[in-house]
Amino acid sequence: GDCDTTCDPGSACADGSCAAVAGLAAGSSTAAAVLVDGRVMCWGQNASGQCARAPSQAALLRPTVARLLGGDVDHLALGLRHGCARKTDGSVWCWGNGEFGQLGDGRTGAAAAPGHVASLTDIAEIAAGDNHTCALSIDGVVRCWGLGRGGQIPGGRDIVTVPTELVLVEPARSVHLGPSTTCVLVAEARPGCVGELALGTIPAQRPRVATMAPGGSHGCLLYMGGTVGCWGANDSGQGGVEGFDDLPAVVDVEGLGAATDVVVGDAFSCALLAADAGVACWGSNARGQLAQEGVEQSHTPLGIALPVATQRVVAGPDYACALGIDGVTRCWGAGDVSQLGRGVAGDSATPAGVGW
């Protein structure tokens, strides 16, 4: 909405007041920012109400308040056509397309109004795949719901409409979802994944895994110490090694320094670098997702031309966004339904600030 004063470049104008951006989330064709005051701004596709607003076939060209969600949000996860939020009291609320039970409250239709997943309390983090969702509680229990026919929710059921606990060897420390894959990091053991993307073999004597990013046909992980390794498809160089053969084992990305985070899209990967908090990406550049002109693909990580250091990077299937230390959110790549948030639809290989 309109503000009484001009907001700083790193602040969003929401319902008449300015607020800084605290976090980002990227879905299939919808992106969103969590503001420091707990409100959410959303842009891109909203046909199923995945921006917590009345469904509309027209995309949201600029960030718009997710009005039906309200405030007090501190973590957000977006899927193919649904979203879920953790609020500051540890509760979980979901909205959007629910045909596969991915809203977790028993609804199986489209619902722009967020519903409370009442069976979940004391939630530490949430994650969303294309059509399934998982939540990690503060005591290390992981519960998932939604589409399970690809094996991403163990138990053999096609559709799981309420949160169902996963059987783990020890308490989980994080949960990571790909489009149809669920991966869990536990306290000491190696990570485990179920669903359509099998985890590649992790070489012996490697450090513990700090975080991971499963995708549709490839995935990457970050070891303690900052080394990034990838597995799965490498036909566009998204595995970060020369050649185009699939990678059955996790292989270190060539030419990449130490990183603090890694994210993946459909056929590209990005890392947040430890040395300068820059961003480097590799893989397909068909939609500009490597932020390079005249490059079709690259197995070598290429630095993204960002004006300031980056706090956080997120990736959708073929676009990415970075939150700078100046508070500005800059996106690049596919923008056919305005997932870049610039006020117009269209792909762009140039990172630019969303239009608050």
Side-chain angles (χ1 to χ4, degrees), residues 38-135:
R39 291 176 295 174
V40 170
M41 301 285 284
C42 185
W43 59 95
Q45 187 61 260
N46 188 47
S48 298
Q50 58 263 55
C51 273
R53 296 180 66 93
S56 60
Q57 291 304 312
L60 300 176
L61 299 180
R62 293 181 181 274
T64 307
V65 178
R67 198 168 307 284
L68 298 176
L69 181 57
D72 298 324
V73 173
D74 64 2
H75 185 67
L76 193 65
L78 299 176
L80 180 66
R81 290 184 292 158
H82 81 289
C84 292
R86 182 192 68 185
K87 296 205 171 187
T88 53
D89 62 359
S91 64
V92 174
W93 300 72
C94 298
W95 63 93
N97 179 50
E99 64 178 310
F100 302 111
Q102 59 266 52
L103 303 186
D105 60 359
R107 294 179 294 176
T108 54
H116 182 205
V117 187
S119 61
L120 298 176
T121 58
D122 297 326
I123 297 303
E125 64 181 59
I126 53 175
D130 271 0
N131 293 300
H132 75 299
T133 317
C134 294

Side-chain angles (χ1 to χ4, degrees), residues 210-280:
T211 188
M212 59 193 308
S217 59
H218 86 291
C220 297
L221 54 77
L222 174 70
Y223 295 110
M224 297 287 189
T227 299
V228 173
C230 299
W231 77 95
N234 190 43
D235 53 312
S236 296
Q238 63 266 48
V241 297
E242 191 172 4
F244 302 103
D245 295 334
D246 288 354
L247 306 173
V250 179
V251 179
D252 291 356
V253 175
E254 298 173 353
L256 182 69
T260 58
D261 198 9
V262 63
V263 298
V264 304
D266 277 350
F268 80 108
S269 313
C270 296
L272 181 58
L273 305 179
D276 59 0
V279 176

Side-chain angles (χ1 to χ4, degrees), residues 75-77 86 92 120 123-129 132-138 140-145 152-154 164-168 170-178 180-187 191-194 209-214 220 261-262 312:
H75 185 67
L76 193 65
R86 182 192 68 185
V92 174
L120 298 176
I123 297 303
E125 64 181 59
I126 53 175
H132 75 299
T133 317
C134 294
L136 169 66
S137 63
I138 60 175
V141 174
V142 175
R143 295 178 175 86
C144 300
W145 60 97
Q152 60 267 54
I153 303 177
T164 300
E165 183 174 342
L166 304 190
V167 177
L168 304 174
E170 53 186 316
R173 52 189 169 95
S174 60
V175 59
H176 309 271
L177 271 56
S180 300
T181 300
T182 301
C183 297
V184 176
L185 291 177
V186 294
C193 297
V194 293
V209 175
T211 188
M212 59 193 308
C220 297
D261 198 9
V262 63
R312 173 112 167 98

